[in-house]
Amino acid sequence: MAGEKATRGGIVHAQIREEIFQGSLAPGQRLRLVELAQRFGVSQSVVREALTRLSEQGLVKAVPQQGFSVVTISLQDLDELTEARIEVETLVLRRAMERGDLRWEASVVAAHHHLAGIDAVRPDGTLDGEWFTVHEHFHHALLAACGNARLLAVATGLREEATLYRRWSRPVGHDTERDVAAEHQEIVDAVLSRDADTAAALLARHIDRTSQALRTVIEKDPAATA
């Protein structure tokens, strides 16, 4: 029974997590135990455990006596995180370009080729989770040759903190006109040309574009922010 409950809880957790990422559960939306339990055909305790896990992962907010809700967009957090990512990731990219060899270049090309072969949006309009996994691999490949494990760990940690904002840029930020594939190609071209200034500038713009879409949402709808 314990294993069965854990399995059901895992399914509920994964489904709610994906719906938050897809934006179908909007920032600030209340997550009612009774409604979710009925919808998934599980007990309220299973739903509560799933929401508690999501709260620990920073996707759901738990308030005593009020229950659970999807987290809202924190403009301050978004701006601070974006600034930190630009500072750190561009520094690490410069180090990678200084120290990376032909094998590193090949790994960047391979990671980009894999990413370019996957559509971020499915035919039904939802986001493809596989694309985001491959996207992270591509960005890690760009930085992997920096030669400093601590710097790489900081850059990776900041990228992980920005996962929700990155996933929300399209469904919540409505950034549907963006040509992400072209942005990636420009970064790769600059990297392979060993043009560090251009590569760093393109990466900084790439990072900030995601944040800008969400800033626009906050300006139009202050209720979306914390």
Side-chain angles (χ1 to χ4, degrees):
M1 289 295 292
E4 182 180 347
K5 182 178 179 181
T7 300
R8 292 199 304 269
I11 293 172
V12 172
H13 168 272
Q15 182 61 36
I16 296 175
R17 179 177 181 271
E18 184 61 21
E19 290 182 16
I20 292 173
F21 281 155
Q22 294 287 351
S24 52
L25 290 174
Q29 182 172 336
R30 288 288 301 275
L31 300 171
R32 304 181 188 281
L33 295 178
V34 175
E35 294 175 1
L36 291 171
Q38 291 176 345
R39 178 181 158 200
F40 290 111
V42 297
S43 67
Q44 291 185 44
S45 65
V46 170
V47 175
R48 183 179 291 105
E49 289 177 11
L51 294 179
T52 298
R53 285 181 60 194
L54 291 166
S55 175
E56 293 168 352
Q57 294 165 356
L59 301 179
V60 165
K61 182 178 180 180
V63 179
Q65 309 305 319
Q66 295 184 34
F68 298 90
S69 61
V70 179
V71 295
T72 51
I73 302 169
S74 167
L75 181 58
Q76 180 178 351
D77 181 60
L78 175 65
D79 286 343
E80 289 180 356
L81 183 54
T82 301
E83 181 180 36
R85 288 186 58 208
I86 289 173
E87 291 291 333
V88 174
E89 288 190 46
T90 55
L91 169 64
V92 178
L93 178 61
R94 287 178 180 275
R95 294 292 182 272
M97 292 179 67
E98 291 172 3
R99 299 165 179 171
D101 56 14
L102 186 60
R103 181 177 299 180
W104 168 69
E105 288 188 8
S107 70
V108 170
V109 171
H112 178 249
H113 181 71
H114 188 186
L115 179 62
I118 301 175
D119 290 328
V121 183
R122 302 187 184 100
D124 64 1
T126 60
L127 299 172
D128 189 337
E130 181 186 1
W131 183 89
F132 284 95
T133 299
V134 178
H135 179 251
E136 288 310 294
H137 178 70
F138 165 69
H139 276 277
H140 181 77
L142 285 174
L143 308 180
C146 73
N148 187 315
R150 291 183 182 274
L151 277 176
L152 184 59
V154 172
T156 301
L158 290 171
R159 285 195 61 81
E160 289 176 353
E161 286 188 50
T163 296
L164 182 58
Y165 293 141
R166 194 157 49 247
R167 292 292 298 259
W168 270 353
S169 65
R170 185 181 178 93
V172 176
H174 309 298
D175 195 4
T176 58
E177 302 301 319
R178 181 180 185 180
D179 191 347
V180 180
E183 293 176 27
H184 289 149
Q185 184 64 64
E186 289 175 347
I187 293 171
V188 171
D189 290 344
V191 165
L192 296 181
S193 298
R194 299 289 177 157
D195 185 345
D197 289 341
T198 298
L202 289 169
L203 180 58
R205 188 189 311 163
H206 181 67
I207 293 170
D208 191 62
R209 173 63 185 267
T210 298
S211 300
Q212 187 55 48
L214 294 175
R215 291 188 193 105
T216 301
V217 169
I218 293 171
E219 290 172 1
K220 293 180 179 179
D221 180 17
T225 187

